[in-house]
Amino acid sequence: MHGITLTKAPSDWEILQQKEGFAEVSLAGTYQVHPAAIEVGVESARPMARVMREDDNTAVLPWTYLENHPAEHFTGTFTGTLRLPAGGLYRIETSLETKSTQPDLTWLYRGDCVLHVGVGNVFLLAGQSNSAGYGKDYAMDPPDLSVHLFRNRSRWDLASHPMNESTDAGSLANEEMGIPGVSPYLSFGKQFSRLSGCPVGLVQTTLGGSPISRWLPETGDLYQNMLDKIALTGGQYAGVLWYQGCSDADEANAPLYYDRYRSMVEDLRARLGYEIPFFTFQLNRFLVPGIDTYWGIVREAQRKAAETIPGVYILPTTNCAISDAIHNSAHANMLLGEELAKLCGHVLLGKEPFFAPELESAALLPENVLCLTYRNVRLGFSLYSGLGSQSGFTLTDEDGEIEITHIRANREDRNHLYLTLTRAPKEHPLLSFAWEADPVTHPPIDEVTFLPPLSFYQLPLCL
């Protein structure tokens, strides 16, 4: 074909990770002057490229000459690097400027184009079904030109639900057996794009039902699949969006969760060569009896990871609806996506803080009142009920469970909750909150962020 043929360029719909407001784009290809021009007479041929805004067709980068490597008969190869500012969507155009032997006669011959390219923030999606998106009910969450998805078929595309479908993907580790639904991450992408003013790219690696053992370095097939997708998408990301743990809430695996998660985080950071942040959720709920302890252990491991591993952040989910026994509803996933975008907006963009309330300390007051002090409380706690049985808290000591009869809060003392106990705790009390597989339905929430406190399990109290 005459003109420019690209052999190296971004893909249509690709989002490039910005760094300090820019991304560099490498181009390479071949060129061929049209035979009709050669018949007239050609003096020189030079490959060029420009970048145009797709919304108003103005030039972001005007025509720029690329490095030319001519061969015979006005053919050759070229290379070049373009520096694109954060934003988009952009169209990358190429052209072959051909100067005739006739005076003042120059042609611009056609070249390949790359369409719908953005420079913004790219996130890896990892985890199991609530990360893949299994919200089954109705929700208005349409595609948006600001959010693109690297699908399982290993091609960039406009993001839309279902995000973990495997059309034309062939055999791959994270192929779903069932039909996924609404994910948290389209909502996340739209909200984060609004906060950042830039497009968002999402790289899909999730799989429903996957235990963390399949995400372990060296042995995990899903971890290797994620590394394969990293190799295809450049290795530069704003963060990892991780939501997983249901398949590890059992006797054998729950106690290992923290160490396995830490191993995955540290190995991925070592491979990437930078401290990529991890943004995640605690488990929501599962309507099956008899497994409370293991869900408590996994939720506690998730909380502990965010507390002890630098660059790991977490949000609770226990105030969110479900669409079956274990999967978040579509509306819940949209809410969680928006909340996660606000958390990422603070961490990555310096926007206002968006952290969940987290227990800081406890003190025993007169008349058997346990005073709980929280951090990350914006205005105060809102309570749905003052009944201790509906508070979500469980307190035990050597003699067993201590009944909580009442819970209260007030704005004047905004970062505290007060639990009225039937008796004073003994020497080694343990406090838990929203730890069961199916925990409190309406936990306390912060009046500004509407986030419930993070769940925790069997924290020792020094009273």
Side-chain angles (χ1 to χ4, degrees):
M1 179 181 289
H2 72 273
I4 297 291
T5 300
L6 287 169
T7 59
K8 180 182 180 181
S11 302
D12 290 352
W13 297 103
E14 184 167 351
I15 302 298
L16 305 166
Q17 177 61 44
Q18 61 85 26
K19 185 176 181 180
E20 297 179 353
F22 291 89
E24 290 192 346
V25 173
S26 296
L27 301 179
T30 62
Y31 67 88
Q32 169 70 61
V33 175
H34 197 284
I38 296 176
E39 290 180 9
V40 174
V42 175
E43 180 178 308
S44 63
R46 301 185 67 180
M48 299 192 299
R50 69 176 180 178
V51 179
M52 307 291 288
R53 289 184 58 92
E54 288 188 326
D55 55 1
D56 61 9
N57 288 291
T58 57
V60 177
L61 293 177
W63 286 117
T64 301
Y65 291 116
L66 303 171
E67 186 176 347
N68 187 9
H69 309 284
E72 296 180 352
H73 307 298
F74 300 102
T75 65
T77 61
F78 66 89
T79 57
T81 301
L82 306 178
R83 191 166 186 255
L84 276 60
L89 300 177
Y90 300 138
R91 179 176 69 251
I92 301 173
E93 297 182 2
T94 61
S95 178
L96 184 62
E97 182 187 77
T98 304
K99 183 172 176 57
S100 174
T101 54
Q102 298 183 18
D104 303 322
L105 182 58
T106 300
W107 296 280
L108 286 181
Y109 283 108
R110 58 123 343 252
D112 288 350
C113 292
V114 183
L115 306 176
H116 321 314
V117 174
V119 177
N121 295 283
V122 184
F123 295 87
L124 289 168
L125 308 183
Q128 59 183 115
S129 54
N130 276 321
S131 195
Y134 269 60
K136 298 177 179 178
D137 48 337
Y138 166 86
M140 181 62 71
D141 194 21
D144 188 286
L145 287 175
S146 65
V147 187
H148 300 182
L149 176 66
F150 192 75
R151 291 189 180 273
N152 286 339
R153 68 196 72 167
S154 294
R155 292 199 300 271
W156 283 98
D157 194 2
L158 181 67
S160 62
H161 301 301
M163 299 176 77
N164 202 34
E165 55 84 24
S166 299
T167 306
D168 295 330
S171 178
L172 73 166
N174 68 317
E175 179 182 3
E176 295 284 354
M177 293 181 63
I179 300 174
V182 173
S183 158
Y185 298 128
L186 180 53
S187 172
F188 165 85
K190 290 187 283 190
Q191 177 71 7
F192 193 79
S193 177
R194 286 190 287 268
L195 291 172
S196 65
C198 301
V200 169
L202 305 172
V203 179
Q204 176 64 262
T205 74
T206 62
L207 177 63
S210 56
I212 199 170
S213 60
R214 296 184 66 182
W215 295 91
L216 291 180
E218 308 302 336
T219 60
D221 62 330
L222 291 175
Y223 188 78
Q224 183 57 55
N225 178 69
M226 180 169 63
L227 296 181
D228 293 342
K229 296 297 175 67
I230 288 171
L232 292 172
T233 54
Q236 294 296 316
Y237 311 98
V240 177
L241 309 184
W242 171 264
Y243 193 179
Q244 190 275 338
C246 300
S247 293
D248 292 275
D250 58 39
E251 183 178 8
N253 293 292
L256 305 176
Y257 192 87
Y258 175 86
D259 289 336
R260 287 173 166 177
Y261 180 77
R262 182 165 198 138
S263 173
M264 179 191 65
V265 170
E266 292 177 347
D267 187 85
L268 184 61
R269 287 174 171 175
R271 291 175 186 269
L272 292 176
Y274 60 95
E275 295 295 296
I276 188 170
F278 276 68
F279 302 95
T280 188
F281 298 105
Q282 282 187 308
L283 298 183
N284 191 355
R285 62 187 68 242
F286 188 19
L287 304 184
V288 171
I291 55 173
D292 291 343
T293 297
Y294 310 120
W295 282 69
I297 292 172
V298 172
R299 286 200 190 97
E300 174 61 19
Q302 293 169 331
R303 186 200 67 82
K304 181 182 174 183
E307 181 180 64
T308 59
I309 306 173
V312 173
Y313 307 91
I314 195 161
L315 289 173
T317 64
T318 50
N319 62 331
C320 292
I322 52 179
S323 59
D324 56 27
I326 195 169
H327 297 116
N328 299 332
S329 71
H331 286 93
N333 276 338
M334 289 178 62
L335 171 65
L336 291 176
E338 292 182 2
E339 290 178 343
L340 192 65
K342 293 177 182 179
L343 174 60
C344 291
H346 170 67
V347 174
L348 301 176
L349 306 173
K351 303 294 184 180
E352 65 179 271
F354 196 79
F355 296 111
E358 187 167 4
L359 184 65
E360 190 170 71
S361 63
L364 188 62
L365 304 183
E367 299 182 359
N368 296 331
V369 173
L370 186 64
C371 173
L372 305 180
T373 302
Y374 276 82
R375 54 180 173 268
N376 304 326
V377 180
R378 294 284 296 275
L379 178 61
F381 284 106
S382 178
L383 303 180
Y384 293 90
S385 170
L387 296 176
S389 60
Q390 297 177 4
S391 68
F393 289 93
T394 302
L395 182 63
T396 61
D397 63 9
E398 297 91 321
D399 290 344
E401 185 171 342
I402 303 171
E403 183 183 356
I404 300 170
T405 61
H406 190 261
I407 180 173
R408 62 180 176 86
N410 59 74
R411 286 186 177 178
E412 291 74 22
D413 198 15
R414 65 182 184 180
N415 63 327
H416 293 89
L417 289 171
Y418 297 91
L419 306 179
T420 303
L421 313 178
T422 54
R423 64 176 174 85
K426 291 197 171 179
E427 188 174 356
H428 301 292
L430 300 174
L431 184 67
S432 303
F433 172 73
W435 57 281
E436 303 96 332
D438 185 19
V440 58
T441 306
H442 300 293
I445 58 171
D446 182 278
E447 288 191 13
V448 174
T449 63
F450 296 98
L451 292 173
L454 289 175
S455 299
F456 56 84
Y457 183 59
Q458 293 192 339
L459 290 186
L461 300 184
C462 297
L463 302 177

